[in-house]
Amino acid sequence: MAKKTVATLQTSSKRLSKVIKMVKSPKTGAYTFVEGIMAPELADEFLKKTK
């Protein structure tokens, strides 16, 4: 349901990934997207704790 790495972004010396997760709203049932830009090592942790 979630796409882990959509794009790999590089700044001066850091390697970053844009992480997008689709989250279902408990009130309306509609889906929303939660985005974050982080190091690839932190992507799994982000996907596990984001609700």
Side-chain angles (χ1 to χ4, degrees):
M1 185 184 263
K3 291 192 175 193
K4 188 173 181 181
T5 304
V6 174
T8 301
L9 309 170
Q10 288 189 341
T11 57
S12 59
S13 64
K14 295 181 180 179
R15 188 165 173 242
L16 302 173
S17 294
K18 183 175 184 179
V19 181
I20 301 174
K21 183 175 183 181
M22 197 164 71
V23 180
K24 188 173 185 177
S25 171
K27 292 181 181 179
T28 63
Y31 286 94
T32 59
F33 294 94
V34 179
E35 298 183 14
I37 296 176
M38 62 199 66
E41 303 84 40
L42 302 174
D44 286 331
E45 185 178 320
F46 173 78
L47 292 173
K48 287 179 185 175
K49 73 176 183 179
T50 305
K51 292 184 179 182

